[in-house]
Amino acid sequence: LNTNLKPDLLVGDLDSISNEGVEFLEKNNIKVDKFPPKKNLTDTELALTYLLEKKCSSITILSATGTRMDHTISNILSLEKLYKLKLPAKLVDNHNEIIYAEEGKIEVNKDDYKYLSLISLSDYLIYSTIGMEYETDHLKIYRYSARGVSNEIKEKSAKINIHFGKGLIIKSRD
């Protein structure tokens, strides 16, 4: 993710850090909490555990998508754990913002995103939308269906009411 943020702490095993990354850490005196590569948690899980211990009020996960699909999926699904802990969280990369949602009403700001998708994580998801190109009223989508993918946000914000199920709300830009 392209950002000007400088971390206060790096948590992980550093097994995939580049020479440029090491130089950045040293140049900026960034503290490192290093773990052995053979461990039971991913680096993202280690970082989330640290943040939960610090009782943070919200979490934005950055740089958690990439070439390793196993890590990407695991990182996205970690949003459910944070939701269950009543901790507002989202995962953001250069093209997407992802949140986990269950039954209830959600307002999603358009920001600089064009598309909004709902992906069911339960057997099926029933939801209604307002402020979208294709507005829905109690639309039922199955976990294996792409029916909820790539709707367009037409207003400043979209209103989503999840009547049943759990899933991912993904705002995207090309």
Side-chain angles (χ1 to χ4, degrees), residues 3-17:
T3 178
N4 291 327
L5 297 174
K6 185 178 90 172
D8 297 317
L9 173 68
L10 175 68
V11 176
D13 58 27
L14 307 180
D15 68 345
S16 60
I17 193 167

Side-chain angles (χ1 to χ4, degrees), residues 104-172:
K105 295 180 181 181
I106 302 134
E107 187 164 350
V108 180
N109 291 326
K110 184 175 183 177
D111 305 321
D112 59 344
Y113 296 95
K114 181 176 181 181
Y115 301 105
L116 188 137
S117 298
L118 273 90
I119 308 290
S120 180
L121 294 178
S122 47
D123 287 338
Y124 61 90
L125 184 69
I126 299 174
Y127 68 94
S128 301
T129 59
I130 298 173
M132 307 287 298
E133 175 70 24
Y134 302 102
E135 294 190 346
T136 63
D137 183 16
H138 289 80
L139 178 65
K140 183 177 187 178
I141 59 170
Y142 291 90
R143 184 174 53 229
Y144 51 78
S145 172
R147 176 82 190 272
V149 172
S150 202
N151 203 339
E152 289 189 43
I153 305 170
K154 287 298 186 185
E155 306 294 329
K156 184 177 177 182
S157 66
K159 292 178 177 54
I160 302 165
N161 188 357
I162 297 177
H163 306 289
F164 177 84
K166 59 185 180 177
L168 299 171
I169 298 174
I170 305 172
K171 294 192 297 186
S172 302

Side-chain angles (χ1 to χ4, degrees), residues 42 44-45 48-49 51-52 58-65 70-93 96-102 117 119 121 166-171:
T42 65
T44 301
E45 288 175 303
L48 292 175
T49 299
L51 293 171
L52 290 170
S58 67
I59 294 178
T60 299
I61 303 170
L62 304 175
S63 301
T65 59
D70 52 347
H71 284 273
T72 298
I73 293 170
S74 177
N75 292 337
I76 292 168
L77 293 177
S78 70
L79 293 170
E80 181 176 5
K81 174 183 179 179
L82 300 171
Y83 178 92
K84 302 272 186 210
L85 293 171
K86 299 187 181 344
L87 185 61
K90 60 186 172 182
L91 187 147
V92 179
D93 66 19
N96 306 281
E97 181 178 303
I98 305 169
I99 64 167
Y100 173 89
E102 290 186 3
S117 298
I119 308 290
L121 294 178
K166 59 185 180 177
L168 299 171
I169 298 174
I170 305 172
K171 294 192 297 186

